[in-house]
Amino acid sequence: MPNNLMPNSPMPNPETRSQLSMMLTLADSRLPIGGHVHSGGVEQAIADRVVVDATTLAEFLRRRVATSGLVAASIAAAVADGTIDVPTAQRETDARTPSAAGRRASLAQGRGMRRLAGRLWPQHDWSDHTPRTHLPVISGAVGRISELSGFHTALILVYTTMSGAATAGQRLLALDPADVAVVIADLGSECERVAAAAAVELADLSDPMLDVFAERHERRDMPLFVS
């Protein structure tokens, strides 16, 4: 027996280990919904000089997490907890996403998550998510099949919403990765607060600034990011 394994140490519960593994997988920046494809409005915010450095990036991320991040997370939590079904969740997401460009971005990210889900659980019936699905809805479905709570499902979505946009900002502004890492760490408690609120009930607020960024970005010539 290796020296670092104590014979009386409790073995991790397989179900808990599986849930933790799934949480880490879904929070991975290499996911097809991550910051290497979607900037979450950061690209346009930089073009419009709203985000110019690490400080203004942090302000943008905090605002995004507290508005559109909360709404998306609340839908994901509701699906994960089984309080609403998938067709209803799709309609609620449409209704809570005023920007047509924002809806298209959500569907594009949902397509990437649906592809991943199909690889992870090929025997599962994903017909409710075909031919299209919003990111919060498929995220909630993945949380449910992984036996994650609504809170943890919401936390993953909020965190990836924030960290993906932070990564995009780092690339576009050529920021020091350490500075961006500090920004992400500092926003951890805000992500937890928003996820806790999202797990209670569906949120229905919006941020006109983010909607404008989404529409303006879609009309950009040769953008670096899809959204």
XYZ file of all heavy atoms in Angstrom, residues 29-125:
711
model
N -12.799 25.551 -18.459
C -12.821 26.606 -19.474
C -12.700 26.065 -20.894
O -12.980 26.783 -21.856
C -11.686 27.604 -19.218
O -10.428 26.956 -19.314
N -12.283 24.799 -21.037
C -12.150 24.213 -22.360
C -13.476 23.720 -22.908
O -13.550 23.257 -24.059
C -11.140 23.062 -22.328
C -9.723 23.506 -22.088
C -8.823 22.333 -21.793
N -9.184 21.679 -20.540
C -8.532 20.642 -20.029
N -7.498 20.135 -20.663
N -8.913 20.115 -18.877
N -14.534 23.809 -22.138
C -15.851 23.396 -22.589
C -16.243 24.190 -23.842
O -15.846 25.354 -23.984
C -16.865 23.648 -21.471
C -17.992 22.629 -21.295
C -17.426 21.255 -20.982
C -18.932 23.066 -20.190
N -17.050 23.609 -24.741
C -17.411 24.328 -25.968
C -18.254 25.585 -25.762
O -18.510 26.310 -26.715
C -18.194 23.275 -26.776
C -18.602 22.242 -25.786
C -17.532 22.220 -24.742
N -18.658 25.852 -24.520
C -19.396 27.093 -24.246
C -18.477 28.135 -23.631
O -18.908 29.211 -23.242
C -20.581 26.831 -23.298
C -20.079 26.356 -21.929
C -21.553 25.851 -23.913
C -21.136 26.303 -20.868
N -17.188 27.831 -23.502
C -16.277 28.672 -22.749
C -15.796 29.912 -23.474
O -16.219 30.243 -24.581
N -14.856 30.617 -22.831
C -14.403 31.922 -23.293
C -13.556 31.909 -24.540
O -13.167 32.973 -25.030
N -13.242 30.732 -25.096
C -12.502 30.714 -26.347
C -13.418 30.894 -27.555
O -12.943 31.042 -28.672
C -11.706 29.411 -26.473
C -12.548 28.170 -26.548
N -13.319 27.758 -25.495
C -12.734 27.272 -27.544
C -13.948 26.637 -25.845
N -13.625 26.333 -27.075
N -14.740 30.869 -27.342
C -15.706 31.038 -28.428
C -16.639 32.211 -28.166
O -16.902 33.018 -29.057
C -16.534 29.751 -28.635
C -17.576 29.959 -29.736
C -15.625 28.577 -28.980
N -17.142 32.327 -26.950
C -18.107 33.365 -26.596
C -17.497 34.312 -25.560
O -16.933 33.869 -24.564
C -19.385 32.740 -26.030
C -20.147 31.934 -27.033
N -21.145 32.481 -27.820
C -20.046 30.631 -27.400
C -21.628 31.546 -28.611
N -20.985 30.409 -28.377
N -17.643 35.618 -25.802
C -17.083 36.597 -24.869
C -18.118 37.117 -23.882
O -17.778 37.875 -22.976
C -16.482 37.776 -25.632
O -17.482 38.675 -26.089
N -19.390 36.747 -24.072
C -20.432 37.221 -23.162
C -20.606 38.723 -23.158
O -20.938 39.307 -22.129
N -20.376 39.358 -24.296
C -20.531 40.804 -24.389
C -19.258 41.583 -24.156
O -19.217 42.798 -24.384
N -18.202 40.915 -23.708
C -16.959 41.617 -23.398
C -16.318 42.221 -24.647
O -15.782 43.329 -24.597
C -15.970 40.673 -22.681
C -14.584 41.293 -22.609
C -16.467 40.372 -21.275
N -16.372 41.500 -25.755
C -15.744 42.028 -26.973
C -16.351 43.377 -27.357
O -15.634 44.327 -27.679
C -15.882 41.042 -28.131
C -15.190 41.538 -29.403
C -15.152 40.499 -30.509
O -15.973 39.557 -30.494
O -14.293 40.643 -31.407
N -17.683 43.465 -27.302
C -18.330 44.734 -27.646
C -18.082 45.783 -26.579
O -17.916 46.966 -26.880
C -19.830 44.521 -27.847
C -20.529 45.717 -28.466
C -19.959 46.077 -29.832
O -19.784 45.213 -30.679
N -19.678 47.355 -30.042
N -18.066 45.368 -25.328
C -17.807 46.314 -24.244
C -16.413 46.921 -24.378
O -16.212 48.109 -24.094
C -17.942 45.613 -22.893
N -15.467 46.136 -24.837
C -14.117 46.653 -25.065
C -14.106 47.583 -26.271
O -13.484 48.658 -26.246
C -13.133 45.480 -25.259
C -12.940 44.743 -23.933
C -11.787 45.975 -25.795
C -12.134 43.467 -24.045
N -14.814 47.198 -27.324
C -14.883 48.048 -28.516
C -15.517 49.394 -28.198
O -15.120 50.426 -28.766
C -15.671 47.345 -29.617
N -16.479 49.404 -27.289
C -17.165 50.638 -26.902
C -16.479 51.356 -25.745
O -17.022 52.330 -25.206
C -18.615 50.329 -26.523
C -19.457 49.931 -27.729
O -18.993 50.140 -28.867
O -20.565 49.398 -27.530
N -15.318 50.860 -25.350
C -14.493 51.475 -24.303
C -15.173 51.475 -22.936
O -14.862 52.300 -22.063
C -14.100 52.916 -24.679
C -13.376 53.050 -26.006
C -12.020 52.407 -25.965
N -11.120 53.092 -25.025
C -9.928 52.613 -24.677
N -9.516 51.433 -25.145
N -9.162 53.294 -23.835
N -16.073 50.562 -22.721
C -16.665 50.391 -21.395
C -15.732 49.560 -20.522
O -15.601 49.807 -19.322
C -18.050 49.725 -21.502
C -18.598 49.374 -20.118
C -19.021 50.639 -22.235
N -15.084 48.589 -21.125
C -14.071 47.776 -20.447
C -12.715 48.112 -21.064
O -12.525 47.954 -22.269
C -14.370 46.270 -20.601
C -13.220 45.437 -20.045
C -15.678 45.916 -19.901
N -11.794 48.570 -20.206
C -10.478 48.997 -20.711
C -9.317 48.385 -19.930
O -8.160 48.457 -20.366
C -10.347 50.540 -20.690
C -11.366 51.172 -21.624
C -10.504 51.078 -19.262
N -9.604 47.802 -18.763
C -8.544 47.242 -17.933
C -9.153 46.213 -16.986
O -10.356 45.907 -17.059
C -7.817 48.340 -17.160
C -8.756 49.220 -16.339
O -9.893 48.774 -16.046
O -8.364 50.354 -15.999
N -8.333 45.678 -16.089
C -8.810 44.641 -15.176
C -9.901 45.156 -14.240
O -10.838 44.426 -13.902
C -7.645 44.077 -14.362
N -9.802 46.414 -13.836
C -10.793 46.979 -12.918
C -12.157 47.088 -13.575
O -13.177 46.678 -12.999
C -10.337 48.365 -12.426
O -9.096 48.235 -11.722
C -11.380 48.979 -11.504
N -12.189 47.639 -14.785
C -13.480 47.774 -15.483
C -13.989 46.415 -15.952
O -15.204 46.212 -16.061
C -13.355 48.737 -16.669
O -12.219 48.374 -17.474
C -13.191 50.169 -16.184
N -13.093 45.483 -16.214
C -13.533 44.121 -16.542
C -14.253 43.508 -15.343
O -15.308 42.891 -15.500
C -12.332 43.262 -16.936
C -12.626 41.778 -17.199
C -13.576 41.615 -18.375
C -11.328 41.011 -17.447
N -13.699 43.695 -14.152
C -14.333 43.169 -12.945
C -15.715 43.789 -12.741
O -16.672 43.090 -12.370
C -13.448 43.437 -11.733
N -15.840 45.087 -12.992
C -17.133 45.761 -12.852
C -18.147 45.195 -13.839
O -19.320 44.964 -13.493
C -16.956 47.260 -13.067
C -16.127 47.939 -11.974
C -15.771 49.377 -12.327
O -16.081 49.804 -13.469
O -15.174 50.067 -11.483
N -17.706 44.969 -15.065
C -18.589 44.403 -16.086
C -19.041 43.003 -15.692
O -20.223 42.664 -15.793
C -17.864 44.362 -17.438
C -18.660 43.707 -18.535
C -19.518 44.452 -19.324
C -18.542 42.342 -18.780
C -20.257 43.838 -20.341
C -19.274 41.728 -19.779
C -20.132 42.481 -20.562
N -18.111 42.187 -15.243
C -18.431 40.811 -14.871
C -19.401 40.766 -13.700
O -20.340 39.965 -13.686
C -17.153 40.056 -14.517
C -16.150 39.849 -15.652
C -14.879 39.211 -15.120
C -16.749 39.013 -16.766
N -19.199 41.624 -12.719
C -20.100 41.663 -11.566
C -21.520 42.031 -12.014
O -22.499 41.425 -11.552
C -19.594 42.668 -10.534
C -20.361 42.666 -9.222
C -19.753 43.650 -8.229
N -18.399 43.283 -7.875
C -18.077 42.380 -6.950
N -19.040 41.772 -6.274
N -16.821 42.109 -6.679
N -21.611 42.989 -12.905
C -22.930 43.404 -13.405
C -23.581 42.269 -14.200
O -24.783 42.015 -14.057
C -22.767 44.645 -14.283
C -24.047 45.175 -14.881
C -23.818 46.550 -15.476
N -25.008 47.047 -16.140
C -25.172 48.304 -16.561
N -24.201 49.190 -16.369
N -26.284 48.679 -17.161
N -22.798 41.581 -15.012
C -23.346 40.498 -15.825
C -23.810 39.336 -14.958
O -24.874 38.759 -15.184
C -22.305 40.027 -16.837
C -22.829 38.979 -17.818
C -21.911 38.800 -19.010
N -22.547 37.936 -19.983
C -22.245 36.638 -20.147
N -21.300 36.092 -19.409
N -22.873 35.903 -21.052
N -23.028 38.980 -13.967
C -23.388 37.884 -13.079
C -24.686 38.190 -12.341
O -25.551 37.315 -12.183
C -22.237 37.622 -12.081
C -22.725 36.798 -10.890
C -21.080 36.908 -12.777
N -24.845 39.434 -11.909
C -26.001 39.805 -11.090
C -27.283 39.968 -11.898
O -28.371 40.031 -11.299
C -25.706 41.105 -10.347
N -27.192 40.014 -13.220
C -28.387 40.221 -14.047
C -28.650 39.008 -14.937
O -29.368 38.093 -14.546
C -28.237 41.501 -14.883
O -27.014 41.459 -15.645
C -28.204 42.728 -13.982
N -28.051 38.986 -16.099
C -28.292 37.868 -17.010
C -27.784 36.552 -16.437
O -28.365 35.481 -16.683
C -27.640 38.135 -18.371
O -26.241 38.287 -18.253
N -26.707 36.613 -15.645
C -26.213 35.399 -15.003
C -27.215 34.828 -14.025
O -27.430 33.607 -13.969
N -27.845 35.691 -13.248
C -28.867 35.260 -12.297
C -30.052 34.633 -13.015
O -30.558 33.584 -12.609
C -29.323 36.448 -11.457
C -30.547 36.237 -10.561
C -30.288 35.127 -9.545
C -30.932 37.533 -9.864
N -30.508 35.263 -14.080
C -31.663 34.749 -14.815
C -31.369 33.363 -15.381
O -32.158 32.418 -15.211
C -32.054 35.716 -15.945
C -33.117 35.097 -16.852
C -32.569 37.030 -15.368
N -30.241 33.236 -16.054
C -29.875 31.945 -16.647
C -29.720 30.875 -15.566
O -30.183 29.737 -15.715
C -28.588 32.091 -17.455
N -29.081 31.244 -14.470
C -28.855 30.282 -13.394
C -30.164 29.839 -12.756
O -30.306 28.677 -12.347
C -27.929 30.889 -12.348
N -31.124 30.744 -12.659
C -32.408 30.379 -12.043
C -33.161 29.368 -12.903
O -33.828 28.473 -12.373
C -33.256 31.627 -11.799
O -33.757 32.171 -13.008
N -33.043 29.493 -14.210
C -33.685 28.522 -15.103
C -32.988 27.174 -14.993
O -33.631 26.123 -14.895
C -33.673 29.041 -16.545
C -34.579 30.279 -16.665
C -34.116 27.959 -17.528
C -34.461 31.023 -17.959
N -31.662 27.198 -14.990
C -30.913 25.951 -14.852
C -31.234 25.257 -13.542
O -31.402 24.024 -13.498
C -29.416 26.237 -14.949
N -31.341 26.015 -12.456
C -31.642 25.437 -11.150
C -33.028 24.809 -11.136
O -33.231 23.724 -10.570
C -31.527 26.511 -10.070
N -33.980 25.493 -11.746
C -35.351 24.971 -11.767
C -35.438 23.667 -12.545
O -36.149 22.734 -12.148
C -36.290 26.018 -12.363
N -34.709 23.586 -13.656
C -34.703 22.341 -14.440
C -34.008 21.234 -13.646
O -34.471 20.089 -13.602
C -34.021 22.557 -15.799
C -33.873 21.245 -16.556
C -34.818 23.550 -16.653
N -32.889 21.567 -13.024
C -32.148 20.566 -12.243
C -32.983 20.027 -11.084
O -32.938 18.829 -10.781
C -30.850 21.174 -11.717
N -33.739 20.902 -10.445
C -34.569 20.485 -9.312
C -35.892 19.862 -9.746
O -36.634 19.335 -8.914
C -34.854 21.683 -8.401
C -33.662 22.045 -7.527
O -32.787 21.173 -7.317
O -33.585 23.199 -7.062
N -36.216 19.950 -11.039
C -37.449 19.368 -11.538
C -38.694 20.186 -11.270
O -39.806 19.662 -11.366
N -38.526 21.475 -10.961
C -39.701 22.317 -10.687
C -40.368 22.818 -11.965
O -41.524 23.226 -11.928
C -39.326 23.509 -9.794
O -38.290 24.264 -10.431
C -38.818 23.028 -8.443
N -39.633 22.815 -13.089
C -40.245 23.093 -14.388
C -39.705 22.082 -15.391
O -38.581 21.584 -15.250
C -39.974 24.532 -14.894
C -38.465 24.804 -15.013
C -40.622 25.552 -13.994
C -38.169 26.158 -15.645
N -40.533 21.783 -16.408
C -40.070 20.839 -17.417
C -39.304 21.570 -18.519
O -39.261 22.807 -18.553
C -41.240 20.031 -17.997
C -42.311 20.905 -18.640
O -42.001 22.054 -19.048
O -43.465 20.441 -18.734
N -38.698 20.808 -19.404
C -37.829 21.391 -20.429
C -38.585 22.311 -21.384
O -38.128 23.435 -21.652
C -37.083 20.274 -21.185
C -36.383 20.834 -22.430
C -36.058 19.623 -20.265
N -39.735 21.912 -21.956
C -40.446 22.831 -22.861
C -40.799 24.165 -22.195
O -40.672 25.231 -22.805
C -41.705 22.055 -23.263
C -41.306 20.611 -23.104
C -40.403 20.590 -21.901
N -41.235 24.100 -20.943
C -41.549 25.331 -20.211
C -40.298 26.173 -20.021
O -40.319 27.394 -20.181
C -42.173 25.007 -18.851
O -43.362 24.248 -19.035
C -42.500 26.290 -18.086
N -39.205 25.519 -19.673
C -37.945 26.230 -19.463
C -37.465 26.909 -20.736
O -36.931 28.020 -20.687
C -36.880 25.257 -18.958
N -37.679 26.275 -21.876
C -37.293 26.898 -23.151
C -38.090 28.183 -23.377
O -37.527 29.219 -23.766
C -37.540 25.931 -24.325
C -36.822 24.593 -24.224
C -35.336 24.644 -24.542
O -34.709 25.705 -24.532
N -34.755 23.493 -24.815
N -39.378 28.131 -23.107
C -40.223 29.319 -23.278
C -39.844 30.408 -22.282
O -39.811 31.596 -22.638
C -41.703 28.946 -23.130
C -42.238 28.043 -24.235
C -43.757 27.956 -24.181
N -44.233 27.334 -22.951
C -44.414 26.019 -22.804
N -44.146 25.196 -23.804
N -44.871 25.525 -21.670
N -39.577 30.020 -21.048
C -39.206 31.008 -20.033
C -37.878 31.681 -20.387
O -37.685 32.870 -20.131
C -39.107 30.339 -18.656
C -40.423 29.804 -18.105
C -41.404 30.921 -17.760
O -40.978 32.092 -17.671
O -42.596 30.618 -17.563
N -36.963 30.931 -20.970
C -35.683 31.521 -21.378
C -35.895 32.516 -22.504
O -35.317 33.620 -22.493
C -34.695 30.427 -21.823
O -34.559 29.450 -20.785
C -33.330 31.015 -22.123
N -36.696 32.157 -23.484
C -37.020 33.093 -24.573
C -37.610 34.382 -24.008
O -37.216 35.487 -24.401
C -38.023 32.456 -25.541
C -37.356 31.554 -26.572
O -36.174 31.785 -26.904
O -38.018 30.617 -27.052
N -38.555 34.229 -23.091
C -39.256 35.390 -22.540
C -38.335 36.277 -21.719
O -38.563 37.487 -21.609
C -40.436 34.934 -21.681
N -37.297 35.696 -21.132
C -36.395 36.446 -20.256
C -35.123 36.906 -20.973
O -34.196 37.392 -20.328
C -36.031 35.579 -19.041
C -37.159 35.448 -18.037
C -36.903 34.312 -17.063
N -37.787 34.406 -15.907
C -39.069 34.057 -15.923
N -39.611 33.598 -17.042
N -39.814 34.180 -14.833
N -35.073 36.748 -22.291
C -33.913 37.176 -23.069
C -34.394 38.157 -24.124
O -34.720 37.759 -25.249
C -33.207 35.973 -23.724
O -33.041 34.927 -22.768
C -31.847 36.371 -24.282
N -34.479 39.458 -23.805
C -35.062 40.438 -24.730
C -34.335 40.548 -26.063
O -34.957 40.791 -27.101
C -34.976 41.762 -23.949
C -34.855 41.359 -22.521
C -34.091 40.072 -22.528
N -33.028 40.411 -26.059
C -32.238 40.573 -27.276
C -32.309 39.330 -28.147
O -32.026 38.218 -27.690
C -30.770 40.858 -26.914
O -29.921 40.658 -28.017
N -32.669 39.514 -29.414
C -32.686 38.383 -30.346
C -31.281 37.817 -30.521
O -31.095 36.596 -30.618
C -33.247 38.822 -31.694
N -30.295 38.689 -30.540
C -28.906 38.229 -30.649
C -28.519 37.420 -29.417
O -27.803 36.420 -29.521
C -27.971 39.415 -30.808
N -29.000 37.848 -28.255
C -28.728 37.115 -27.030
C -29.357 35.738 -27.047
O -28.762 34.766 -26.573
N -30.571 35.644 -27.601
C -31.220 34.333 -27.703
C -30.453 33.414 -28.641
O -30.272 32.227 -28.360
C -32.673 34.501 -28.171
C -33.583 35.178 -27.156
C -35.047 35.047 -27.522
N -35.389 35.736 -28.757
C -35.723 37.033 -28.830
N -35.725 37.778 -27.725
N -36.040 37.597 -29.981
N -29.987 33.972 -29.743
C -29.218 33.153 -30.681
C -27.900 32.681 -30.068
O -27.462 31.543 -30.300
C -28.970 33.926 -31.980
C -30.207 34.037 -32.869
C -29.889 34.644 -34.213
N -29.705 36.080 -34.133
C -30.694 36.967 -34.293
N -31.940 36.559 -34.487
N -30.459 38.265 -34.235
N -27.271 33.537 -29.286
C -26.029 33.132 -28.617
C -26.291 32.017 -27.615
O -25.519 31.054 -27.511
C -25.403 34.338 -27.918
N -27.396 32.119 -26.872
C -27.752 31.084 -25.908
C -28.005 29.750 -26.601
O -27.588 28.691 -26.116
C -28.994 31.513 -25.123
O -29.441 30.486 -24.262
N -28.665 29.797 -27.754
C -28.939 28.574 -28.503
C -27.654 27.978 -29.074
O -27.495 26.754 -29.126
C -29.941 28.855 -29.629
C -31.364 29.196 -29.169
C -32.192 29.699 -30.349
C -32.031 27.977 -28.536
N -26.739 28.839 -29.501
C -25.459 28.346 -30.016
C -24.673 27.641 -28.918
O -24.093 26.567 -29.120
C -24.642 29.504 -30.599
N -24.656 28.245 -27.725
C -23.963 27.616 -26.597
C -24.697 26.349 -26.151
O -24.066 25.364 -25.770
C -23.849 28.598 -25.444
C -22.898 29.752 -25.733
C -22.872 30.754 -24.600
O -23.852 31.447 -24.346
N -21.753 30.833 -23.911
N -26.014 26.393 -26.203
C -26.794 25.207 -25.858
C -26.497 24.046 -26.786
O -26.461 22.889 -26.359
N -26.271 24.356 -28.067
C -25.935 23.309 -29.027
C -24.618 22.630 -28.647
O -24.485 21.403 -28.728
C -25.841 23.912 -30.429
C -25.586 22.879 -31.520
C -25.813 23.473 -32.904
N -24.983 24.645 -33.144
C -25.433 25.899 -33.264
N -26.731 26.144 -33.144
N -24.605 26.902 -33.484
N -23.654 23.427 -28.208
C -22.379 22.854 -27.778
C -22.531 21.980 -26.547
O -21.948 20.895 -26.458
N -23.328 22.438 -25.579
C -23.553 21.655 -24.367
C -24.348 20.389 -24.679
O -24.076 19.315 -24.112
C -24.280 22.498 -23.326
C -24.582 21.767 -22.036
S -23.102 21.289 -21.113
C -22.794 22.805 -20.203
N -25.316 20.496 -25.577
C -26.108 19.313 -25.974
C -25.205 18.264 -26.612
O -25.363 17.054 -26.368
C -27.216 19.750 -26.938
C -27.883 18.640 -27.739
C -28.621 17.657 -26.865
N -29.210 16.599 -27.670
C -28.561 15.515 -28.062
N -27.289 15.330 -27.721
N -29.171 14.589 -28.786
N -24.259 18.685 -27.413
C -23.327 17.748 -28.046
C -22.487 17.035 -26.984
O -22.278 15.822 -27.059
C -22.429 18.500 -29.026
C -21.392 17.633 -29.735
C -20.708 18.439 -30.829
N -19.628 17.679 -31.436
C -18.359 17.709 -31.038
N -18.016 18.483 -30.016
N -17.447 16.995 -31.646
N -22.026 17.788 -26.007
C -21.248 17.194 -24.925
C -22.096 16.226 -24.117
O -21.652 15.115 -23.777
C -20.699 18.289 -24.015
C -19.940 17.819 -22.765
C -18.695 17.044 -23.157
C -19.570 19.014 -21.891
N -23.329 16.619 -23.802
C -24.218 15.756 -23.024
C -24.476 14.446 -23.756
O -24.518 13.373 -23.133
C -25.532 16.483 -22.743
N -24.641 14.524 -25.063
C -24.869 13.314 -25.840
C -23.691 12.362 -25.800
O -23.851 11.142 -25.873
N -22.483 12.917 -25.686
C -21.288 12.080 -25.583
C -21.167 11.449 -24.194
O -20.727 10.308 -24.057
C -20.041 12.920 -25.878
C -19.961 13.467 -27.289
C -19.563 12.392 -28.278
N -18.208 11.913 -28.036
C -17.114 12.492 -28.524
N -17.205 13.597 -29.274
N -15.922 11.984 -28.281
N -21.550 12.217 -23.176
C -21.434 11.713 -21.805
C -22.518 10.700 -21.465
O -22.264 9.735 -20.737
C -21.495 12.892 -20.824
C -20.290 13.827 -20.814
C -20.583 15.069 -19.978
C -19.048 13.118 -20.266
N -23.746 10.922 -21.971
C -24.869 10.024 -21.679
C -25.571 9.655 -22.989
O -26.673 10.136 -23.284
C -25.860 10.702 -20.741
C -25.289 11.036 -19.403
C -25.107 10.200 -18.333
C -24.818 12.322 -18.974
N -24.550 10.874 -17.288
C -24.362 12.170 -17.634
C -24.728 13.573 -19.585
C -23.836 13.236 -16.909
C -24.190 14.628 -18.868
C -23.745 14.451 -17.544
N -24.941 8.799 -23.801
C -25.507 8.479 -25.123
C -26.849 7.746 -25.062
O -27.604 7.777 -26.044
C -24.416 7.587 -25.754
C -23.638 7.035 -24.605
C -23.663 8.112 -23.551
N -27.158 7.093 -23.940
C -28.413 6.347 -23.832
C -29.577 7.219 -23.354
O -30.717 6.765 -23.370
C -28.229 5.161 -22.872
C -27.090 4.216 -23.238
C -27.186 3.696 -24.645
O -28.276 3.338 -25.107
N -26.066 3.650 -25.346
N -29.271 8.433 -22.927
C -30.330 9.294 -22.398
C -31.161 9.886 -23.540
O -30.641 10.160 -24.632
C -29.722 10.418 -21.571
C -30.729 11.287 -20.885
N -31.463 10.867 -19.792
C -31.145 12.560 -21.135
C -32.262 11.832 -19.399
N -32.088 12.865 -20.193
N -32.450 10.088 -23.282
C -33.338 10.690 -24.267
C -33.203 12.215 -24.217
O -33.675 12.854 -23.272
C -34.788 10.274 -23.983
C -35.775 10.876 -24.984
O -35.320 11.461 -25.993
O -36.988 10.767 -24.744
